Amino acid sequence: LENMKDGVIVLDKKNFILEISPIALKLIGSSNKNLAGKNIRDVWPQCIEYIRGKDKKEQEKIIMDDTKKTFYGIDVNQNFNHYNQLNCTTIIIRDITEKEKSENILKYKARFAKLVARISASFMSTPPENIDKKIGKALRIIGKFSDADRSYVFLITKDFKYIDNTSEWTADGIEPQQNNCRMMPCIQYK
């Protein structure tokens, strides 16, 4: 248990601690290394919720360090003897922060792809006289989705010498800048 990356706690059938790894001690916030023989309720009260929820198909996800947004998966495994009596419970606490971040990135990308598809489809049925209004609405949707305070559309002139801010959306309380960003020389952006 000493060299494991995951936190491991082994409990007897009455939830008294038989073994606890140094990582598990750290994760549950205990500085007492002599927890063998103590009831898990006295050491880590919320653990009882995880033991009771052991029948869940999904791994329990918790945040143990709010400042770092570190996510941990809790796996509870109960071992029974041949009389179907509980022998012991093993709790594995695994850092799943990177997995959680990757899943959130994938979810964000999927939501963004749906948003782009929805906006693109809405342009297909828009008559030319309403296109500017539709662009403004699209900028608002994209700005809010990305939690931005403004979003723009810039067009580059055919000779590639100037960029022109043709459309802008700003959140409430944000000063529009569209008039300050008209026909600006591209040389500024090389």
Side-chain angles (χ1 to χ4, degrees), residues 43-107:
V43 178
W44 188 28
Q46 61 266 44
C47 182
I48 297 303
E49 295 172 34
Y50 307 128
I51 294 171
R52 286 189 186 132
K54 67 176 174 26
D55 296 329
K56 290 181 186 173
K57 298 273 185 245
E58 225 175 272
Q59 182 183 53
E60 189 77 38
K61 291 181 200 170
I62 62 168
I63 300 175
M64 288 183 137
D65 184 348
D66 276 336
T67 59
K68 294 181 190 173
K69 287 289 185 207
T70 305
F71 291 86
Y72 292 91
I74 309 280
D75 283 318
V76 177
N77 301 296
Q78 293 187 314
N79 181 296
F80 295 88
N81 64 21
H82 61 279
Y83 296 112
N84 208 25
Q85 297 170 322
L86 180 64
N87 275 341
C88 67
T89 301
T90 305
I91 301 164
I92 300 171
I93 308 166
R94 182 168 290 128
D95 186 338
I96 58 169
T97 304
E98 290 306 312
K99 178 182 174 236
E100 193 71 16
K101 285 179 184 176
S102 296
E103 285 176 5
N104 288 338
I105 288 169
L106 288 173
K107 287 176 188 174

Side-chain angles (χ1 to χ4, degrees), residues 124-175:
M124 301 301 273
S125 61
T126 303
E129 63 271 11
N130 293 340
I131 209 78
D132 285 340
K133 189 186 283 186
K134 187 62 80 169
I135 289 170
K137 184 176 180 181
L139 288 173
R140 177 180 54 80
I141 291 168
I142 291 168
K144 287 186 174 195
F145 177 85
S146 58
D147 201 26
D149 58 7
R150 69 180 73 240
S151 55
Y152 302 104
V153 171
F154 283 89
L155 292 181
I156 300 174
T157 57
K158 288 181 184 178
D159 60 7
F160 297 102
K161 290 184 178 180
Y162 298 94
I163 60 171
D164 189 20
N165 183 348
T166 59
S167 303
E168 176 185 37
W169 167 83
T170 58
D172 292 338
I174 301 300
E175 186 74 29

